[in-house]
Amino acid sequence: MRIICVEDYHQMSKKAANIVASQLILKPNSVLGLATGATPLGMYKQLVKTYKAGHIDFEEVTTFNLDEYYGLNKENEQSYYYYMYDNFFQYINIDMKKVNIPNGMARDIHKESLAYERKIRSCGGVDLQVLGIGRNGHIGFNEPDIKFEALTHMVRLDEQTIQDNSRFFDSIEDVPTKAISMGIKTIMHAKKILLLANGKEKAEAIYGAIYGKITPELPASVLQLHPDVVFVMDQDAASKLDLEKLKEEYL
Ligand code: PGA
């Protein structure tokens, strides 16, 4: 595990974008696992800048998003499909046929989930998976007490997640209560993982993810078992960590 602590959100976003850019420079046909939410927005902006400056190319890239709300279609402004297009895909030269996001409108979620897993495998697996982290330690929509062995499946959102995500909706009643999410096992199969966190409200979850017991009660703690994971965070998210100790242990 590698821990990178930077001053603020802007630095976090730049560092994360540089890591993704390096991946694409080394392997132009990379399979990227992508995340939504407030945290990676700055990273997407930076990647667009790097693309416009001619340093990276998305032509051969394939993407798989972590999750999608159940019951929202692509045109819905709250859907993660919309988010990805609006914040990222419309600005880069990605082939939209190589973009994969779970279908929140699928009639048969089980079938959709299996097909998603198969597609990830048929593309050779995810090379680099980007993650945010919930205040409750969730990754993707894998809420506390998830089964570590789960692959892509339908999940019920935690009360805290519904509360946290209500800031993006008109009212809390509008927040979907279910989603389709890659499971912990899907995430753990990625060759590399990049987790981003900023803000004091993430400090507790970050502490647990790095130092805590490995437990489904804090899903991100499972990342301690992954052979190639980097955490990039701002000082607020790192505020509960002993950075001197971390230097000795991980860097
Ligand atoms: P946020 O969400 O980036 O909006 O804080 C992160 C997450 O829930 O994984």
Side-chain angles (χ1 to χ4, degrees), residues 1 131-148 158 160 184 187-188 195 201-225 231 240-241:
M1 183 180 281
L131 297 175
I133 184 169
R135 278 200 295 155
N136 61 6
H138 75 200
I139 46 178
F141 268 137
N142 294 285
E143 304 287 25
D145 293 328
I146 194 82
K147 287 192 170 61
F148 279 167
D158 199 270
Q160 185 165 65
I184 294 290
I187 293 171
M188 289 296 279
L195 184 142
E201 64 282 7
K202 300 291 173 69
E204 193 76 44
I206 284 290
Y207 182 88
I210 294 171
Y211 281 128
K213 200 173 112 192
I214 300 170
T215 165
E217 280 163 41
L218 198 124
S221 64
V222 75
L223 298 175
Q224 292 173 37
L225 299 176
F231 281 61
K240 286 198 170 14
L241 304 177

Side-chain angles (χ1 to χ4, degrees), residues 36-40 132-134 138 140 167-168 202:
T36 51
T39 311
I133 184 169
H138 75 200
R167 68 193 195 276
F168 302 116
K202 300 291 173 69

Side-chain angles (χ1 to χ4, degrees), residues 1-250:
M1 183 180 281
R2 197 169 153 74
I3 316 287
I4 300 177
C5 174
V6 293
E7 203 170 327
D8 54 22
Y9 180 77
H10 181 64
Q11 294 301 326
M12 179 202 79
S13 303
K14 268 174 97 166
K15 187 70 81 180
N18 284 343
I19 292 171
V20 176
S22 315
Q23 171 70 36
L24 299 187
I25 290 165
L26 289 172
K27 187 178 179 206
N29 63 347
S30 285
V31 177
L32 297 179
L34 298 177
T36 51
T39 311
L41 280 174
M43 178 193 78
Y44 291 132
K45 277 211 176 90
Q46 287 293 329
L47 280 170
V48 169
K49 270 194 196 163
T50 312
Y51 162 71
K52 288 196 167 149
H55 301 308
I56 48 174
D57 187 349
F58 289 88
E59 203 183 337
E60 295 177 55
V61 171
T62 299
T63 64
F64 286 90
N65 264 72
L66 279 169
D67 43 25
E68 178 60 282
Y69 285 120
Y70 178 61
L72 299 193
N73 61 31
K74 290 178 179 179
E75 291 76 34
N76 189 311
E77 289 183 22
Q78 304 297 349
S79 74
Y80 287 157
Y81 187 97
Y82 192 97
Y83 168 110
M84 289 307 300
Y85 188 77
D86 201 40
N87 292 300
F88 193 37
F89 295 148
Q90 67 167 318
Y91 302 112
I92 57 174
N93 67 332
I94 194 151
D95 176 353
M96 287 304 285
K97 288 199 282 300
K98 294 192 180 124
V99 163
N100 299 279
I101 300 180
N103 176 8
M105 298 299 285
R107 281 226 184 146
D108 185 336
I109 297 295
H110 182 64
K111 224 167 142 185
E112 168 71 14
S113 302
L114 277 178
Y116 204 66
E117 287 289 333
R118 257 190 225 120
K119 186 118 191 246
I120 294 173
R121 244 160 266 178
S122 75
C123 292
V126 171
D127 291 304
L128 175 64
Q129 175 68 57
V130 178
L131 297 175
I133 184 169
R135 278 200 295 155
N136 61 6
H138 75 200
I139 46 178
F141 268 137
N142 294 285
E143 304 287 25
D145 293 328
I146 194 82
K147 287 192 170 61
F148 279 167
E149 64 272 32
L151 293 168
T152 299
H153 66 307
M154 166 91 97
V155 293
R156 191 167 284 281
L157 306 192
D158 199 270
E159 274 311 312
Q160 185 165 65
T161 300
I162 294 175
Q163 190 80 42
D164 288 348
N165 289 4
S166 65
R167 68 193 195 276
F168 302 116
F169 290 79
D170 289 338
S171 84
I172 192 156
E173 285 75 38
D174 294 340
V175 186
T177 55
K178 293 181 194 163
I180 309 179
S181 178
M182 284 187 191
I184 294 290
K185 191 168 174 181
T186 325
I187 293 171
M188 289 296 279
H189 276 158
K191 290 163 197 136
K192 285 186 190 143
I193 294 180
L194 166 61
L195 184 142
L196 311 182
N198 69 291
K200 281 233 178 322
E201 64 282 7
K202 300 291 173 69
E204 193 76 44
I206 284 290
Y207 182 88
I210 294 171
Y211 281 128
K213 200 173 112 192
I214 300 170
T215 165
E217 280 163 41
L218 198 124
S221 64
V222 75
L223 298 175
Q224 292 173 37
L225 299 176
H226 194 280
D228 194 355
V229 51
V230 53
F231 281 61
V232 179
M233 65 189 104
D234 73 350
Q235 283 180 355
D236 286 341
S239 56
K240 286 198 170 14
L241 304 177
D242 179 344
L243 291 176
E244 280 311 307
K245 195 163 165 232
L246 276 177
K247 254 183 216 154
E248 287 163 30
E249 284 182 11
Y250 299 104

